[in-house]
Amino acid sequence: MFDQVRELLLLMLSSALVSNVVLSQFLGLCPFLGVSKKVETAAGMGTAVIFVITLASGVTGAIFQFILVPLNIEYLQTIVFILVIAALVQFVEMFLKKYMKTLYEALGVYLPLITTNCAVLGVALTNVQKEYGIFTGMVNGFATALGFTIAIIILAGIREKMEYNDVPESFKGMPIVLITAGLMAIAFCGFSGL
């Protein structure tokens, strides 16, 4: 029992910090760069991504284990996973539109882009490749999404502070954001010794 808990904690730490989906695997860069202008919006996007990736990890793991493997059609996993992720994102979009209108409007076009966020599909495929069970896959998905949320909130905080800095004209806008993201990636490499 203790070994299983320890393994899950190591998996969470590794997925969130050491193998950060954005800063070390470079998946999910579109919402990472696009929604990170304000901390509130970044936190909302992070919450939506946590929900989608965690739920998608569980659902895709169950579909793979109980439908695709018994029917010997594992080769359809990518198509099936994309359909499941698209359905989950539609559910999140409808929920936010009905109950959190301001967050829905703040996320704008980036909310539907979670469907095409390669981080969501990447986690689902990683769970299958590493032969994680459904629960372990959901833990991996949650931790990966948590790492995404940590990274996007940190970048949003830095971007809010950079608005008041004197940045050279050639670096204003996306160039300084990309440099900042690169420096964050280097900083997150420090977690690899854990």
Side-chain angles (χ1 to χ4, degrees):
M1 174 70 177
F2 179 73
D3 287 339
Q4 291 173 335
V5 172
R6 193 171 132 249
E7 289 293 322
L8 287 176
L9 288 174
L10 286 173
L11 176 65
M12 287 182 69
L13 187 65
S14 172
S15 296
L17 298 176
V18 178
S19 300
N20 187 284
V21 70
V22 176
L23 299 174
S24 70
Q25 297 176 14
F26 308 113
L27 298 174
L29 288 174
C30 181
F32 177 70
L33 297 173
V35 185
S36 61
K37 292 179 183 169
K38 298 205 175 293
V39 172
E40 291 175 8
T41 311
M45 175 59 100
T47 304
V49 168
I50 286 174
F51 178 77
V52 170
I53 288 183
T54 304
L55 201 56
S57 295
V59 173
T60 56
I63 288 173
F64 184 81
Q65 186 174 348
F66 298 118
I67 297 174
L68 298 180
V69 171
L71 295 176
N72 200 23
I73 53 173
E74 296 94 345
Y75 57 88
L76 293 176
Q77 69 187 9
T78 305
I79 295 169
V80 172
F81 291 178
I82 289 172
L83 293 174
V84 168
I85 291 165
L88 289 172
V89 170
Q90 288 300 313
F91 173 73
V92 170
E93 189 173 359
M94 289 186 304
F95 176 82
L96 290 178
K97 190 174 186 179
K98 185 166 181 132
Y99 296 107
M100 303 174 122
K101 191 84 168 159
T102 55
L103 179 60
Y104 174 78
E105 291 170 358
L107 292 175
V109 71
Y110 293 101
L111 183 60
L113 284 178
I114 295 176
T115 304
T116 58
N117 186 343
C118 52
V120 182
L121 180 60
V123 171
L125 293 173
T126 298
N127 290 341
V128 168
Q129 288 172 349
K130 293 190 176 182
E131 298 179 359
Y132 291 150
I134 296 169
F135 180 72
T136 306
M138 286 182 73
V139 169
N140 181 48
F142 174 78
T144 301
L146 185 64
F148 175 87
T149 304
I150 290 168
I152 196 171
I153 289 174
I154 290 172
L155 182 63
I158 293 171
R159 285 181 75 173
E160 282 184 359
K161 297 290 184 191
M162 280 193 311
E163 285 183 27
Y164 305 108
N165 292 346
D166 187 27
V167 178
E169 190 65 35
S170 60
F171 287 108
K172 285 187 179 176
M174 197 51 66
I176 194 69
V177 174
L178 291 172
I179 290 170
T180 304
L183 292 172
M184 284 176 58
I186 292 170
F188 267 67
C189 285
F191 290 119
S192 64
L194 292 176

